[in-house]
Amino acid sequence: DDVRSAEQALLYLVVDKSGSMYNNGLEAGVVEGLKEVKSLVSCVKERKNIQTAMTFFGTTLDMRPFQYGENIDISYEANEGETHLYDAIVKSANNMLYQYKEIGKANLVKGVMLIITDGAENGSQEYSESDVANVLEQLKEKEIPVLLASFEKADLSSFSKKFGYIQTVKFKNEHQLRAMMKFVTDHAMD
């Protein structure tokens, strides 16, 4: 409702909050990366052009709406048992597409989606592979890049093959994860 500039960049972070993120030592990297993202989108001169939304997924989805930097809630804890990756992707992509439609009526809009996980889908309740393929095709039509950042030890090769539009990037540790989050945030501001 409160669009501050005729040009808007939409940054969507979709982050795994399953307990394995904690067990693999990645929770601290996500927490620090989210702090850095908030700092970047709150302090840069383009801050009136950047809206950020987040979906934290595990057994449940915690969807946080698009907000300008100073208003985003970056609280995060990796403590859930499952990874409902399909549900998170479809609901987040639908949210992104809705925002594009609403803001795009009177503004120039671009976006990027970053999905961060250390494991594969293991329990989505609402959406299937075909739903994911369909929504990714819609993002592709809008030229919204989708990056899948996965922990180096996770084998998501079959996932990547199923959904060719997703660009997969591996990270080894929390430091590389933080750097990736900063890179994607910078990309949203270009």
Side-chain angles (χ1 to χ4, degrees):
D1 293 338
D2 176 30
V3 177
R4 299 177 181 173
S5 172
E7 293 184 17
Q8 291 293 292
L10 303 178
L11 172 61
Y12 211 124
L13 302 175
V14 184
V15 184
D16 189 341
K17 65 175 180 172
S18 64
S20 60
M21 292 287 283
Y22 175 81
N23 295 336
N24 285 324
L26 301 173
E27 182 181 64
V30 171
V31 169
E32 291 305 312
L34 290 171
K35 287 178 186 175
E36 195 163 336
V37 167
K38 183 169 182 161
S39 175
L40 282 169
V41 298
S42 298
C43 298
V44 296
K45 66 180 179 178
E46 299 92 353
R47 68 183 169 272
K48 66 183 178 183
N49 301 54
I50 304 167
Q51 294 185 51
T52 305
M54 294 177 227
T55 298
F56 297 104
F57 67 96
T59 306
T60 62
L61 297 184
D62 175 6
M63 295 186 70
R64 299 176 188 175
F66 280 99
Q67 299 281 326
Y68 288 100
E70 69 274 9
N71 297 319
I72 60 176
D73 175 5
I74 59 170
S75 58
Y76 168 84
E77 187 175 0
N79 60 0
E80 295 195 1
E82 295 178 343
T83 305
H84 291 201
L85 183 58
Y86 293 169
D87 290 348
I89 290 172
V90 172
K91 286 191 172 194
S92 300
N94 283 335
N95 189 17
M96 175 76 93
L97 291 164
Y98 175 80
Q99 195 76 347
Y100 252 68
K101 179 182 161 195
E102 291 302 306
I103 292 177
K105 292 175 184 173
N107 302 283
L108 178 63
V109 183
K110 66 177 183 168
V112 62
M113 181 176 283
L114 174 64
I115 304 165
I116 300 169
T117 187
D118 71 338
E121 160 61 38
N122 71 359
S124 286
Q125 303 294 312
E126 294 183 56
Y127 297 102
S128 66
E129 285 181 15
S130 62
D131 296 319
V132 173
N134 180 41
V135 79
L136 289 175
E137 185 61 33
Q138 292 175 54
L139 292 175
K140 182 179 180 181
E141 288 171 9
K142 297 283 187 192
E143 299 180 1
I144 301 170
V146 180
L147 301 160
L148 173 65
S150 66
F151 189 45
E152 185 176 61
K153 295 177 187 175
D155 182 11
L156 295 178
S157 56
S158 64
F159 184 85
S160 297
K161 287 177 188 171
K162 288 178 199 172
F163 309 112
Y165 184 63
I166 293 178
Q167 179 184 349
T168 305
V169 183
K170 297 276 189 177
F171 58 87
K172 294 180 183 181
N173 55 42
E174 71 173 271
H175 302 294
Q176 286 186 348
L177 174 58
R178 285 176 54 202
M180 188 177 311
M181 291 171 75
K182 181 183 182 318
F183 170 78
V184 170
T185 303
D186 288 342
H187 177 73
M189 293 185 279
D190 288 342

